[in-house]
Amino acid sequence: MMRAHARLEVTADRDRSGRVRTRISRLRSDAPLVLRPTAAVEPTGRWNPDGAAHVALAAAAAGPIGGDHLRLDVEVAAGAALVVRSVAASLVLPGPHGRPSRTETHLRVAPTGTLVWLPEPVIAAGRCDHHATMRIELEPGARLLAREELLLGRHGETPGTVHQRLRVTLAGRPLHDQEFAVGPDIPGWHGPAVTGGRRALGTLLVITPDSPADTRPANPAPSDADTAVMRLTPTATLLTALADDALTLRRHLDRGMTDPSTDCATQRGSGLPEPAETHTCPKAV
């Protein structure tokens, strides 16, 4: 069994030219959670804010494995911008003693702060029992783009059991609280009310408090029955998607992050895309 608690904190400073730059004020790795500053993966603009700090999360060991308890805390100060990615997918494995594995992710963003959270998928290997909790605390004016992906088993493999909970608060008040469970221990998990037999599941949460009001119809005609968009508030949108494979799932979620017809100047102004309903991304009935 392995226990780890890693922390990442960023603050905003101004350089000699007066431009705001994000500085990593605290970076504490705890194996197997290894945090490494990196260069920007993609050009600034779109969903990569100017002057942002970029950090990659790498695994120094296999897992999480049954019995492991891993925690990551991320804090973005006022005016700072942070992009977090992971180096590779996480493979959740069963342990030798039949105990569940647990991961806790706590994200906190201060007013005018921006967090772009883009980890690689979690793969639920056969016989695993995994519990994942993500808590996101946002202050008024905070901006967030958070993508989560789950793959049910490796190729040709019956997946293990996964319990997920996502809780989002804004100014200390609940904004979204969702629990989700799939796997052989969950009755009806592969039925039409849950996964419909799909093996890839994902969510995209977009919060852009400074975006213009949406003037389009609240429920435009759907173009894909495996993707749904839910407006949480006028400036907060949750996109959920199902797919047969990881590539198709990523394509669904990417369409919610950016669209060729969107005005790039507007996106650069906020550092994040407009809420997903303002794009021509697919919707579900």
Side-chain angles (χ1 to χ4, degrees):
M1 294 186 296
M2 186 175 297
R3 291 181 175 270
H5 186 184
R7 295 187 63 92
L8 171 61
E9 298 177 10
V10 296
T11 57
D13 291 330
R14 291 189 180 273
D15 59 20
R16 294 180 179 179
S17 65
R19 299 180 62 185
V20 176
R21 295 291 179 183
T22 298
R23 177 175 61 86
I24 298 175
S25 56
R26 184 175 185 180
L27 190 148
R28 179 182 181 272
S29 298
D30 192 6
L33 300 176
V34 178
L35 298 164
R36 291 289 182 264
T38 66
V41 176
E42 301 179 49
T44 57
R46 292 292 179 178
W47 62 84
N48 280 350
D50 291 333
H54 292 253
V55 175
L57 176 62
I65 298 174
D68 290 353
H69 189 167
L70 312 180
R71 175 173 173 174
L72 173 63
D73 291 344
V74 177
E75 186 166 345
V76 179
L82 173 65
V83 179
V84 179
R85 301 176 184 269
S86 57
V87 174
S90 299
L91 179 61
V92 182
L93 297 166
H97 306 295
R99 297 179 180 177
S101 56
R102 300 182 184 277
T103 56
E104 295 181 45
T105 307
H106 186 190
L107 311 178
R108 181 178 298 169
V109 188
T112 69
T114 298
L115 174 61
V116 180
W117 176 260
L118 298 173
E120 292 302 307
V122 173
I123 305 172
R127 299 184 296 106
C128 75
D129 183 7
H130 185 59
H131 297 251
T133 302
M134 173 176 281
R135 293 181 297 155
I136 303 176
E137 298 181 13
L138 305 172
E139 295 298 326
R143 293 187 290 270
L144 175 75
L145 173 66
R147 182 186 69 202
E148 291 287 322
E149 298 167 301
L150 174 64
L151 306 182
L152 302 180
R154 293 165 286 193
H155 179 71
E157 178 182 50
T158 300
T161 300
V162 177
H163 298 259
Q164 289 185 332
R165 183 177 183 183
L166 171 62
R167 177 173 172 80
V168 185
T169 60
L170 177 61
R173 302 182 63 181
L175 177 65
H176 180 68
D177 195 338
Q178 175 178 295
E179 293 190 56
F180 179 76
V182 292
D185 297 335
I186 310 300
W189 68 276
H190 49 35
V194 187
T195 66
R198 303 295 196 270
R199 298 181 62 86
L201 306 82
T203 61
L204 181 71
L205 178 62
V206 181
I207 299 176
T208 52
D210 52 2
S211 61
D214 184 15
T215 58
R216 297 191 180 189
N219 294 296
S223 60
D224 193 317
D226 290 334
T227 309
V229 174
M230 179 172 63
R231 179 76 64 152
L232 303 177
T233 71
T235 58
T237 303
L238 178 69
L239 183 149
T240 59
L242 298 172
D244 292 321
D245 55 72
L247 182 61
T248 305
L249 176 66
R250 180 66 62 86
R251 187 180 299 118
H252 284 326
L253 298 178
D254 282 351
R255 290 177 66 182
M257 290 198 294
T258 183
D259 186 279
S261 63
T262 304
D263 180 14
C264 295
T266 301
Q267 290 186 352
R268 292 192 184 97
S270 65
L272 290 174
E274 298 301 311
E277 282 193 358
T278 66
H279 297 289
T280 55
C281 59
K283 312 291 191 294
V285 179

